[in-house]
Amino acid sequence: MSIEQLAETAVAMVAPGKGIIAIDESSGTIAKRFAGVGIENTEENRRAYRELLLTTPGLNEYISGAILFDETIRQKTKDGVPFARYMSDNGMISGINVDKGTHALAGFPGEVVTEGLDGLRARLEEYYKLGARFAKWRAVINIGEDIPSGTCIEANAHALARYAALCQEQGLVPMVEPEVLMDGNHDIDTCFEVSEVTLRALFDALYNHNVALEGTILKASMVLPGKDSDDTASIEDVAESTLICLKSAVPAILPGIVFLSGGQSDEDATAHLDAMNRMGPNPWPLSFSYGRAMQQAALKLWSQDLVGNYDAAQATVYERAKANGLAALGQWTRG
Ligand code: 13P
């Protein structure tokens, strides 16, 4: 796989006015989401729910691709079409979540490191055959008293770089995700500092591991005050802090940056993205790779009546995709 082909995929992922829908919740996370709305966590319910999302009419107008989970990339629509094929037939790129989740970082209470490097080369080879063209790995950085430690940031950056190099070797675009969590009562300046040092460590590690940035996408968290903080940052404050942080730490050669929603409300996630694009031009396309901020309205509707609300649930997915697609251009209007 040439760098040119990887770069082509990366550029298509952040095509103007398009972004990614993240539907790669692990079995544990989807169990929590389903439990929240009273849906039984069976394989068929997970399949049917992911089918609802992916077959939303008109989704490809605003969605360039989707991140799937291991189980999902092996599943089919009710008509027997593998999801990955359904997506490529409809002009959307399949991505796959390839990490094995976070585990306590030994010796560093309260901190985690993402595992999943063992056997990754063979798994990537299989995912490519199943149709995946990009792969996501999520590292998690917690903010708290005396954390994150330098060791935690380095360990996660190193794992991200090793996974990214393996992805490129196997023909998949790495979507590197160092998520700085919103949990806590820290202010926006603390989030800025932690995000900046994390991104600098990540791009150092990618450089040291010969990862071609032209064929890499960054999935970033926004610079926000903690969920339990009294800090009342405005939409513009968040947009401005996030942009300054990214500009100081992310090389301009990167084809694009997509954001996670991380527990923000649907509207805030859209408003922040829109504000950042209105403040442009920026060095890279800025778009979205939202999970919750794309799905939560649909899940609620679908859960009330697995059949009757199907069209209404898909309509909310389309609305969220459209709003975020417009925000990726800085053209969204509230309401
Ligand atoms: P949220 O947008 O719900 O944060 O999920 C995105 C994601 O894929 C996190 O890894």
Side-chain angles (χ1 to χ4, degrees):
M1 176 69 56
S2 68
I3 298 299
E4 287 73 23
Q5 282 168 301
L6 290 169
E8 207 176 293
T9 301
V11 167
M13 288 163 66
V14 289
K18 289 192 180 187
I20 307 281
I21 180 168
I23 60 166
D24 59 323
E25 298 83 6
S26 64
S27 310
T29 304
I30 197 78
K32 266 191 262 168
R33 303 267 192 273
F34 277 9
V37 291
I39 296 179
E40 199 189 342
N41 185 27
T42 62
E43 182 181 349
E44 173 50 23
N45 279 347
R46 293 192 295 272
R47 190 208 63 75
Y49 176 59
R50 266 70 181 251
E51 173 166 356
L52 176 150
L53 297 170
L54 289 174
T55 62
T56 293
L59 191 67
N60 58 7
E61 293 165 35
Y62 303 104
I63 294 293
S64 58
I67 317 173
L68 310 175
F69 188 62
D70 178 76
E71 174 186 86
T72 321
I73 201 169
R74 302 171 195 283
Q75 288 174 326
K76 300 176 178 166
T77 66
K78 61 182 180 317
D79 301 328
V81 182
F83 284 141
R85 207 177 75 229
Y86 176 87
M87 288 174 60
S88 63
D89 288 350
N90 286 278
M92 294 183 281
I93 307 166
S94 290
I96 181 78
N97 174 333
V98 299
D99 68 61
K100 296 274 188 187
T102 59
H103 296 261
L105 180 63
F108 291 83
E111 301 199 275
V112 293
V113 65
T114 302
E115 296 190 356
L117 290 171
D118 287 355
L120 182 57
R121 176 177 275 127
R123 289 197 289 126
L124 291 170
E125 200 180 339
E126 187 195 7
Y127 289 138
Y128 187 93
K129 286 186 191 142
L130 288 169
R133 291 297 176 268
F134 71 95
K136 185 193 95 170
W137 178 288
R138 173 174 175 258
V140 172
I141 305 295
N142 287 307
I143 299 182
E145 203 166 321
D146 297 327
I147 64 170
S149 64
T151 305
C152 174
I153 289 171
E154 287 303 324
N156 277 293
H158 180 258
L160 275 161
R162 284 193 56 201
Y163 124 88
L166 281 165
C167 283
Q168 293 192 334
E169 180 196 89
Q170 296 301 320
L172 290 112
V173 171
M175 178 190 266
V176 293
E177 180 183 17
E179 175 173 2
V180 176
L181 286 191
M182 268 174 87
D183 298 351
N185 58 8
H186 52 273
D187 60 14
I188 192 169
D189 293 341
T190 306
C191 181
F192 183 103
E193 250 173 71
V194 171
S195 302
E196 186 181 28
V197 77
T198 300
L199 289 169
R200 283 182 187 275
L202 170 62
F203 284 95
D204 262 5
L206 294 175
Y207 179 73
N208 288 335
H209 285 255
N210 288 338
V211 174
L213 295 187
E214 305 91 307
T216 301
I217 293 287
L218 171 66
K219 176 158 175 166
S221 39
M222 296 182 194
V223 176
L224 294 157
K227 265 197 313 231
D228 305 320
S229 156
D230 299 330
D231 187 338
T232 50
S234 67
I235 298 291
E236 281 66 33
D237 292 338
V238 170
E240 196 173 22
S241 298
T242 306
L243 278 180
I244 295 171
C245 181
L246 292 172
K247 284 180 187 172
S248 86
V250 181
I253 198 168
L254 203 78
I257 299 174
V258 292
F259 292 98
L260 58 101
S261 56
Q264 302 177 60
S265 70
D266 292 359
E267 184 152 297
D268 279 358
T270 303
H272 289 142
L273 177 62
D274 184 65
M276 283 187 264
N277 280 307
R278 282 180 197 266
M279 289 172 185
N282 295 311
W284 343 255
L286 298 178
S287 189
F288 60 95
S289 173
Y290 296 154
R292 281 162 285 179
M294 277 294 303
Q295 300 181 37
Q296 50 207 1
L299 180 61
K300 224 175 177 173
L301 269 175
W302 183 61
S303 68
Q304 289 158 15
D305 171 358
L306 298 192
V307 182
N309 279 330
Y310 203 88
D311 293 350
Q314 287 193 325
T316 68
V317 178
Y318 181 80
E319 272 165 35
R320 295 300 305 139
K322 182 175 181 181
N324 291 318
L326 289 170
L329 299 169
Q331 293 173 6
W332 174 71
T333 39
R334 194 176 289 271

